[in-house]
Amino acid sequence: MAHSYPLYVNVLAQCFCCQSLQPFHFSSATDQVVCGHCLRHLGPEKAEQRDADHIRLWLGQFAAQQETLQELTATTTATIAERDAEIAALTAQVADLTGIVAGRFDRGPDASLRGLLETEVLKRAERKAELGQRRTDAAMAALWEINRLHRIDPADPQRCGCGKSAAACPETRALGPMRQALGDWEAKNRKLLAAGQRHALPAGHPDLA
């Protein structure tokens, strides 16, 4: 059975056997889309081993995803709060320094120095704000990857993309409060990509295929 995945590059694809996303490197359109975990139990005579292997694989992936999601949620919340606090502090600092510089150099031959100092202060504030934004982008990109595995299909809103019911999936519940922010973040970065500007979309995003 032929597949439509790109050849000679590393891709994440859904294994036909265990249905989980796994890394592949295809060299032919007729390569089996069966991951290394499942190759050892192909065939009807190995159905019992296949079921046991799948359960172990899914339990391991579930535990790892839960841990990653909890860490990313905590990190993202802390990063956003830290960035907002930094921006507020820098804004206040710029206002204070601008007032001091204006008071000292409004008149006389030092007026040009005022402009230089204001420009330097603003540049430093902008650099710090950019670093804060990049940290936020990295956390949001990781959450986007997890959300892709646990996306709710509008045609079946009671079921999570991982196969569980939406009510029983802890990732879906944890991502719920973040989905609006994730959607806004993705839309903003898709516009940046379309405009040929620097964006933070992860490598697995469909717009980069």
Side-chain angles (χ1 to χ4, degrees):
M1 179 178 178
H3 62 78
S4 58
Y5 293 107
L7 306 180
Y8 305 110
V9 294
N10 295 326
V11 297
L12 281 177
Q14 189 174 41
C15 171
F16 286 171
C17 183
C18 67
Q19 302 300 306
S20 66
L21 284 175
Q22 297 288 346
F24 287 89
H25 191 96
F26 298 111
S27 57
S28 168
T30 58
D31 286 348
Q32 291 189 91
V33 188
V34 177
C35 69
H37 298 285
C38 296
L39 286 174
R40 62 184 179 179
H41 59 230
L42 293 180
E45 73 282 0
K46 297 183 178 180
E48 186 174 341
Q49 179 185 352
R50 180 178 64 244
D51 292 343
D53 287 347
H54 284 176
I55 291 171
R56 281 195 296 271
L57 173 64
W58 293 335
L59 285 174
Q61 289 180 331
F62 175 72
Q65 288 175 1
Q66 271 196 314
E67 182 178 352
T68 300
L69 179 59
Q70 290 171 356
E71 291 175 354
L72 284 172
T73 300
T75 300
T76 300
T77 302
T79 298
I80 291 173
E82 180 183 348
R83 183 203 63 184
D84 290 346
E86 284 182 0
I87 291 174
L90 288 168
T91 300
Q93 182 183 9
V94 169
D96 289 344
L97 291 173
T98 299
I100 292 171
V101 172
R104 292 182 59 185
F105 303 116
D106 266 343
R107 299 180 182 84
D110 291 321
S112 62
L113 181 58
R114 174 193 172 193
L116 291 174
L117 288 174
E118 288 179 343
T119 299
E120 182 60 28
V121 169
L122 288 171
K123 282 182 178 178
R124 290 182 182 179
E126 288 171 353
R127 282 197 295 269
K128 288 189 177 181
E130 182 181 357
L131 288 175
Q133 184 61 51
R134 289 189 179 185
R135 288 196 297 268
T136 299
D137 282 340
M140 295 296 275
L143 285 174
W144 182 90
E145 293 278 12
I146 295 175
N147 184 56
R148 181 174 62 163
L149 302 177
H150 298 277
R151 194 182 301 273
I152 300 298
D153 184 355
D156 188 7
Q158 301 304 314
R159 185 159 297 279
C160 175
C162 68
K164 303 184 184 72
S165 71
C169 179
E171 285 84 357
T172 292
R173 294 197 301 272
L175 284 166
M178 297 290 297
R179 283 204 163 99
Q180 181 61 52
L182 275 171
D184 294 343
W185 174 85
E186 181 183 10
K188 181 187 76 173
N189 281 278
R190 291 181 70 184
K191 288 180 180 177
L192 291 174
L193 172 64
Q197 301 178 32
R198 190 187 75 81
H199 63 86
L201 294 175
H205 195 279
D207 285 10
L208 301 177

